[in-house]
Amino acid sequence: MDKLLISGGKPLQGRVRLSGAKNAALAVICASVLSAERVSLENVPDISDVQAMFEIIRHLGAEVLWLSDSAVQIDPPSCLKADPPCHLVKKLRASNLLLGPLLSRFGYARVSLPGGCNIGVRPMDLHFKGLAGMGAEISIESGFAVGRSPARLKGARIYLDFPSVGATENLMMAACLAVGQTILENVAKEPEVVDLANFLNCLGAKVRGAGTDVIKIDGVPQLGGRVRYPVIPDRIEAGTFMLAAAATRGSLVLENIIPTHIEPICAKLREAGVEVLENGDSVTVNAQGPMRPLDIKTLPYPGFPTDMQSQIMAMLTLVEGTSVIVENIFENRFQVVGELKRMGARIKVEGRMAVVEGVAELHGAEVGATDLRAGAALVIAGLMARGQTGIANAHFIDRGYHRLEDKLRALGVQIARSH
């Protein structure tokens, strides 16, 4: 397994350009199978999750060609050639987003119940209930989710019990080719949902209301149009670099960013005493003085993102005083605590709450990533720590951060990879 080696103790200094959003790119790639014509995507992060998704749609009959390190051309399948292979689908959670578009366009989908990071129970009940409400027959067969729809899906009024991002995206894609109007209520408002809706509309879909509680989709007979579409910047990558700069008491300019997408992170950094300046599509973080402890509660967007919880925990380990983090989304998000404690952190977990007592310093240690965002948190801890930190299971980090090592080296970090 690959390991990252980080020599810590230096502040981050310089400028970093953010890559395209992992979660937006994965949804848009899945949506591309709805198109009857070629699709060109820009600002696509070349990360392992994206590569896995491309391999999956190739098995379905699509052709994928990288035009540059961030531009991709996709020729969608004209007919469904094969079921997505189980060993690939199990690599990433977002593979479940193929269920809606495949079912809507081809009338059949067989997708292995997905894998990804082990951060808690993430059932697909909302996906299944919504698709069934649109006329699909859904069953679980030998570990596969199988959907059948002999006729076109039908528009329906669907209320989500929880504003699930995945269910919102799956049902929105499925509804684009359905007969009539679909109304989705209590939906997710994340920027990635809005980005997917914008992409679908570029293909000729009729989606309204993305970013609000209610999304309305008027079904159309076919999607296409040879579009060129840029994926939005990654707000979680942005937040990770912002917290890394604050944690190391550095000064960092982040480019290719949409500031409104990271307002919850900006607000918490300012509350901690960090200077955050927004200027068009860039944000500057200056953290020269002492920082204050924080109370954090993860919530669906526009609340504080669960995908940033591990990283802000790492930052708070060196903030004098007591910080409290409540995890309201995934119950296994505190797996990183044991690894941070190996580096000298003082953290106590009680159910869904973690209490962080700031310490004077962290020390380098041999630790291991348990999931993508835990890996990012350990990178931040390694940047803060005295001495060298070895982070095993670097493949978790590779799932979500495009050229992380190169970007950190450009900011003055001593980082290497061993095999």
Side-chain angles (χ1 to χ4, degrees):
M1 290 290 185
D2 282 6
K3 176 191 289 189
L4 291 181
L5 302 173
I6 299 175
S7 297
K10 295 182 179 179
L12 261 60
Q13 302 283 351
R15 308 176 76 91
V16 62
R17 184 172 180 83
L18 300 171
S19 301
K22 173 183 88 86
N23 291 332
L26 292 173
V28 166
I29 292 167
C30 290
S32 72
V33 306
L34 285 166
S35 176
E37 298 180 82
R38 177 178 297 168
V39 169
S40 296
L41 303 179
E42 299 171 349
N43 204 34
V44 178
D46 186 4
I47 53 179
S48 60
D49 268 16
V50 165
Q51 292 285 8
M53 187 65 80
F54 281 145
E55 195 168 348
I56 290 171
I57 67 169
R58 284 191 182 103
H59 278 269
L60 297 174
E63 295 181 8
V64 180
L65 176 65
W66 283 92
L67 303 176
S68 70
D69 65 349
S70 62
V72 180
Q73 177 179 291
I74 303 173
D75 285 291
S78 57
C79 60
L80 193 59
K81 292 186 178 179
D83 301 323
C86 181
H87 73 280
L88 288 176
V89 174
K90 284 186 174 295
K91 286 184 178 181
L92 69 161
R93 177 73 185 177
S95 57
N96 65 5
L97 295 180
L98 285 166
L99 188 60
L102 290 178
L103 188 55
S104 187
R105 186 172 178 207
F106 299 108
Y108 174 78
R110 182 174 181 268
V111 180
S112 174
L113 295 176
C117 288
N118 179 25
I119 56 174
V121 177
R122 295 186 281 181
M124 290 186 63
D125 299 13
L126 298 179
H127 305 240
F128 298 156
K129 287 180 358 186
L131 291 170
M134 298 168 70
E137 299 173 4
I138 306 292
S139 59
I140 304 297
E141 302 174 9
S142 302
F144 287 82
V146 180
R148 297 178 177 87
S149 179
R152 283 177 65 188
L153 295 176
K154 295 180 174 59
R157 193 179 196 102
I158 300 166
Y159 180 88
L160 299 183
D161 296 330
F162 177 82
S164 159
V165 173
T168 299
E169 293 176 334
N170 230 340
L171 299 176
M172 184 166 63
M173 288 187 283
C176 287
L177 296 179
V179 177
Q181 185 180 76
T182 299
I183 300 176
L184 305 177
E185 299 177 293
N186 193 36
V187 294
K189 305 175 186 177
E190 271 72 0
E192 294 78 13
V193 172
V194 177
D195 199 44
L196 175 60
N198 290 338
F199 173 70
L200 292 168
N201 286 338
C202 286
L203 292 176
K206 296 180 179 179
V207 182
R208 292 172 292 150
T212 72
D213 291 329
V214 179
I215 298 177
K216 296 180 180 179
I217 308 104
D218 292 310
V220 298
Q222 182 174 291
L223 295 177
R226 294 213 171 197
V227 304
R228 296 185 67 86
Y229 188 81
V231 175
I232 58 172
D234 197 317
R235 63 192 173 101
I236 305 304
E237 182 191 25
T240 300
F241 274 101
M242 291 171 72
L243 294 183
T248 59
R249 304 303 193 268
S251 179
L252 185 62
V253 178
L254 297 97
E255 301 172 336
N256 186 37
I257 195 170
I258 302 176
T260 55
H261 291 176
I262 55 169
E263 276 306 317
I265 302 160
C266 294
K268 283 300 175 184
L269 282 174
R270 290 178 178 130
E271 186 181 333
V274 177
E275 182 182 55
V276 181
L277 305 173
E278 300 174 13
N279 182 20
D281 64 352
S282 70
V283 169
T284 301
V285 177
N286 290 308
Q288 307 303 322
M291 292 168 60
R292 297 183 288 272
L294 297 172
D295 288 342
I296 303 285
K297 291 183 180 180
T298 63
L299 292 167
Y301 188 86
F304 192 88
T306 182
D307 278 353
M308 288 303 307
Q309 183 258 99
S310 297
Q311 297 94 307
I312 204 163
M313 177 186 289
M315 183 195 80
L316 292 171
T317 59
L318 292 190
V319 175
E320 185 179 357
T322 302
S323 297
V324 177
I325 300 173
V326 178
E327 174 56 59
N328 290 307
I329 310 298
F330 295 124
E331 67 274 14
N332 287 351
R333 276 289 197 197
F334 290 147
Q335 295 180 92
V336 73
V337 168
E339 302 305 293
L340 291 174
K341 289 170 76 170
R342 289 168 62 86
M343 300 177 70
R346 292 182 60 189
I347 307 170
K348 183 179 180 181
V349 175
E350 297 178 358
R352 286 182 176 263
M353 181 176 70
V355 179
V356 183
E357 297 284 351
V359 296
E361 68 173 11
L362 297 180
H363 51 78
E366 293 296 317
V367 293
T370 54
D371 60 74
L372 168 57
R373 305 308 174 186
L378 292 175
V379 169
I380 292 174
L383 295 174
M384 299 159 64
R386 177 173 54 83
Q388 186 178 81
T389 298
I391 306 172
N393 303 325
H395 64 277
F396 281 116
I397 301 169
D398 297 338
R399 291 186 49 223
Y401 292 91
H402 178 57
R403 296 186 174 177
L404 178 63
E405 294 145 75
D406 292 342
K407 292 177 180 179
L408 287 174
R409 284 192 197 100
L411 301 176
V413 175
Q414 286 185 262
I415 183 171
R417 180 177 291 244
S418 66
H419 302 283

